[in-house]
Amino acid sequence: MAASSCLLLLLPWLVTASHSPPACKIRITSKGLDLVKQEGLRFVEQELQNITMSDLHGKEGQFHYNISQIKVMDLQLAFSDLYFQPQQHLVFNINNASISLRFRRQLLYWFFYDIGSINASADGVHIYTVLQLAKDEAGRLKISNMTCNASIARMHAGFSGTLRKVYEFLSTFIVTGMRFLLSQQICPSLEHASLVLLNSVLDTVPVRNYVDEHIGIDYSLLRDPVVSTDTLDLDFKGMFFPRARENQELENHAVEPVIKETERMVYVAFSEYFFDSAMYAYFQAGVLAIELQGEKVPKDLEVLLRATFFGTIFMLSPTVDAPLRLVLQVSAPPRCIIKPSGTSVSVSAFLNISLVPPGRPAVQLSSMAMETKLSAKVFLQGKALRVQLDLRRFRIYSKQSALESLALFSLQAPLKTLLQLTIMPIINERTKKGVQIPLPEGMDFTKEVVTNHAGFLTVGADLHFSKGLREVIEKYRPAPTTPTYPSSWPAEPSMDPHQL
């Protein structure tokens, strides 16, 4: 009874944990799948052209034959389709295709020996392949299973040479055997292409990697993909983390992104949590601080601080000959706010002003609080998500006295100018590199359009293959292993007719 009660208490927590909201979502539409089909069809053609078939040899009465060096010469896969199949599948269907073959013939009939080549064609080829998509243990999208059916309606072979009539007599047997061998090789070839080669391309999708020397990002899938008749939806964790504390988690209370559009090839959505976790990770890494000292302090601001600020509040002589030091330190993790009207970032910080006499301890003159609001322009370039920040609102005040806060009023404008001209370029230089979106290598975005919503934003774009599947596969192809063939496979063909 007690165990049942505990289970009932834990059940809501388990349900919540298994359905944690994603901070990043990607939707691939049917239009995007059409582009993938074009590249995938080229890949399938290349794989089928590399089919290797065992030799066909035997005897019929006094006829000894050997068919060897079978090679695919050409493929016509005009009638093909790639489409979504709920709930987790992609279907690749090829109808009425044709495959042209060329092979070497050897025939011995009593004392007559014939050798040459034969051209053959397989018509009415039908290949029906279903790929099951799933999340693996690392949180990466993978092709977890594949089912395949292949059939050949007709097979023709053209014979020539001295014993052409003999070959025509045996053509039914030879062609039937070749059709069987070819149909048996299609699905294993495509299975290797899917479960090994295409999965090696999916391995190039970043799951948990470093952004820079301070933070990393977790792009692991939260659950298996959801497939409808028109879309493929992927839910990513989308959480940044400080590299010094990689296991640190920031709870996600943001609005879950919702993608309703299907007009573009692909849509990527980001919630406020995506950006908040990045700023939280930087804050935890202790890098949200900038120090300006001596010549790095703008001259106009230094003159104003010495002549007005210090002289009025601290009764210090404006001729004090010691370098100034300004330390700007974020006091709490910045927060991102996404509205239909735009994206902004709220930042709370403090500014410490000190004199640094040579060879003597620094003398702190003031510590003022700052509240700023930055407008954020989010955009995609290639496969990198970038943010351009601009200072919109700025306010400073003293935590020590109302008198000092009043005196600081004259510093509002010059300090805002300091932030705009000195600090903001440094920040934007850091965000210039951006962060990679979880797409495979060789696939990029084009014609991006950003749309803001309440609590999240979406980027609609088209897809572009900057590298072909074959190029990426060859780059990451697994090391070859020595195959083990069954002992029942035929031996290599002999050129000696007496051994036929």
Side-chain angles (χ1 to χ4, degrees):
M1 185 68 180
S4 300
S5 301
C6 291
L7 182 60
L8 290 175
L9 291 173
L10 287 173
L11 188 58
W13 180 86
L14 291 173
V15 172
T16 302
S18 62
H19 292 82
S20 56
C24 173
K25 300 186 74 168
I26 291 182
R27 163 171 288 185
I28 299 175
T29 67
S30 296
K31 292 183 179 179
L33 199 61
D34 288 339
L35 178 67
V36 174
K37 184 187 80 171
Q38 296 173 19
E39 185 64 27
L41 192 59
R42 285 192 289 268
F43 171 66
V44 169
E45 289 176 350
Q46 292 167 350
E47 286 301 303
L48 292 181
Q49 284 178 342
N50 293 327
I51 284 179
T52 57
M53 297 170 56
S54 56
D55 299 341
L56 182 66
H57 60 98
K59 60 178 292 187
E60 289 290 320
Q62 298 300 322
F63 293 97
H64 299 255
Y65 60 89
N66 189 3
I67 304 300
S68 62
Q69 300 178 13
I70 304 171
K71 185 178 181 181
V72 176
M73 303 301 296
D74 185 43
L75 294 98
Q76 298 294 329
L77 308 180
F79 302 99
S80 62
D81 197 11
L82 178 67
Y83 57 90
F84 296 118
Q85 178 177 289
Q87 298 289 327
Q88 294 173 234
H89 300 94
L90 284 177
V91 176
F92 187 59
N93 190 25
I94 297 175
N95 279 309
N96 202 27
S98 63
I99 303 176
S100 298
L101 303 170
R102 188 178 181 85
F103 53 91
R104 182 175 181 269
R105 71 174 187 265
Q106 290 174 293
L107 179 67
L108 179 66
Y109 177 61
W110 291 102
F111 299 105
F112 296 96
Y113 175 65
D114 184 51
I115 184 172
S117 61
I118 300 177
N119 294 322
S121 64
D123 299 321
V125 179
H126 178 214
I127 305 172
Y128 183 80
T129 305
V130 180
L131 306 177
Q132 183 175 358
L133 305 176
K135 174 182 76 73
D136 69 4
E137 294 182 357
R140 180 178 276 112
L141 178 66
K142 281 298 182 70
I143 300 172
S144 61
N145 193 21
M146 171 189 166
T147 58
C148 175
N149 291 303
S151 62
I152 300 173
R154 299 172 301 280
M155 191 101 185
H156 303 282
F159 300 98
S160 61
T162 306
L163 300 180
R164 180 173 58 85
K165 293 295 183 180
V166 176
Y167 270 103
E168 289 178 353
F169 172 75
L170 296 172
S171 64
T172 301
F173 179 80
I174 294 175
V175 167
T176 300
M178 288 189 61
R179 183 173 67 174
F180 174 78
L181 289 176
L182 180 59
S183 62
Q184 290 298 304
Q185 291 300 317
I186 291 175
C187 283
S189 176
L190 294 182
E191 182 176 357
H192 177 266
S194 300
L195 299 182
V196 178
L197 301 183
L198 288 183
N199 273 336
S200 71
V201 176
L202 292 176
D203 282 338
T204 66
V205 176
V207 173
R208 189 176 178 91
N209 63 321
Y210 295 140
V211 176
D212 54 30
E213 66 270 24
H214 305 295
I215 69 171
I217 187 168
D218 188 340
Y219 270 133
S220 57
L221 282 172
L222 294 175
R223 53 193 65 92
D224 288 334
V226 178
V227 179
S228 70
T229 55
D230 299 315
T231 59
L232 166 66
D233 289 338
L234 301 167
D235 291 350
F236 297 93
K237 189 172 185 178
M239 185 198 76
F240 292 83
F241 56 86
R243 291 182 58 169
R245 292 186 284 269
E246 294 194 9
N247 295 324
Q248 183 171 336
E249 295 277 342
L250 178 64
E251 194 169 352
N252 186 354
H253 296 292
V255 175
E256 179 176 345
V258 178
I259 303 176
K260 298 180 179 179
E261 299 87 352
T262 58
E263 291 78 15
R264 306 295 295 276
M265 290 185 181
V266 63
Y267 291 89
V268 189
F270 305 94
S271 73
E272 293 174 342
Y273 174 86
F274 181 86
F275 303 98
D276 283 346
S277 67
M279 293 181 289
Y280 180 81
Y282 275 123
F283 180 78
Q284 292 292 311
V287 296
L288 297 185
I290 296 177
E291 179 178 316
L292 301 176
Q293 182 173 323
E295 296 181 354
K296 293 184 178 180
V297 179
K299 197 64 180 178
D300 293 344
L301 179 62
E302 181 181 3
V303 171
L304 181 64
L305 289 174
R306 290 182 181 278
T308 304
F309 180 54
F310 295 155
T312 301
I313 299 179
F314 298 101
M315 304 302 179
L316 293 175
S317 171
T319 61
V320 173
D321 188 16
L324 278 177
R325 181 171 65 192
L326 308 181
V327 178
L328 181 62
Q329 174 74 53
V330 174
S331 57
R335 295 297 304 274
C336 175
I337 302 171
I338 303 176
K339 296 181 179 180
S341 57
T343 302
S344 61
V345 178
S346 297
V347 183
S348 297
F350 59 82
L351 176 63
N352 288 334
I353 304 177
S354 305
L355 286 174
V356 190
R360 293 160 55 187
V363 179
Q364 181 169 315
L365 301 178
S366 179
S367 178
M368 61 187 73
M370 302 174 56
E371 292 181 357
T372 61
K373 179 166 282 190
L374 311 175
S375 63
K377 179 184 178 182
V378 181
F379 59 97
L380 274 176
Q381 187 170 4
K383 212 163 25 187
L385 180 71
R386 299 180 178 179
V387 179
Q388 181 78 22
L389 297 171
D390 188 25
L391 181 62
R392 287 304 181 198
R393 297 179 185 175
F394 174 76
R395 184 173 76 93
I396 58 173
Y397 60 92
S398 173
K399 294 183 178 180
Q400 300 175 10
S401 68
L403 177 62
E404 185 175 7
S405 293
L406 182 62
L408 291 175
F409 183 78
S410 62
L411 292 176
Q412 290 276 131
L415 284 177
K416 184 176 181 180
T417 302
L418 169 70
L419 290 176
Q420 288 176 325
L421 300 181
T422 305
I423 307 301
M424 296 308 301
I426 296 175
I427 295 174
N428 283 322
E429 184 63 28
R430 291 182 178 179
T431 62
K432 184 178 180 180
K433 181 181 177 182
V435 60
Q436 185 179 348
I437 303 303
L439 281 183
E441 183 175 337
M443 186 178 290
D444 294 323
F445 296 104
T446 62
K447 303 177 183 178
E448 308 89 347
V449 176
V450 179
T451 304
N452 279 46
H453 305 272
F456 66 95
L457 59 85
T458 60
V459 182
D462 290 337
L463 292 172
H464 166 70
F465 279 96
S466 58
K467 295 180 182 178
L469 280 176
R470 176 63 55 187
E471 183 180 353
V472 178
I473 286 171
E474 291 302 325
K475 181 178 179 180
Y476 296 98
R477 180 183 289 273
T481 57
T482 303
T484 302
Y485 298 106
S487 58
S488 59
W489 280 31
E492 290 294 322
S494 172
M495 292 297 294
D496 184 358
H498 298 288
Q499 295 183 17
L500 285 174

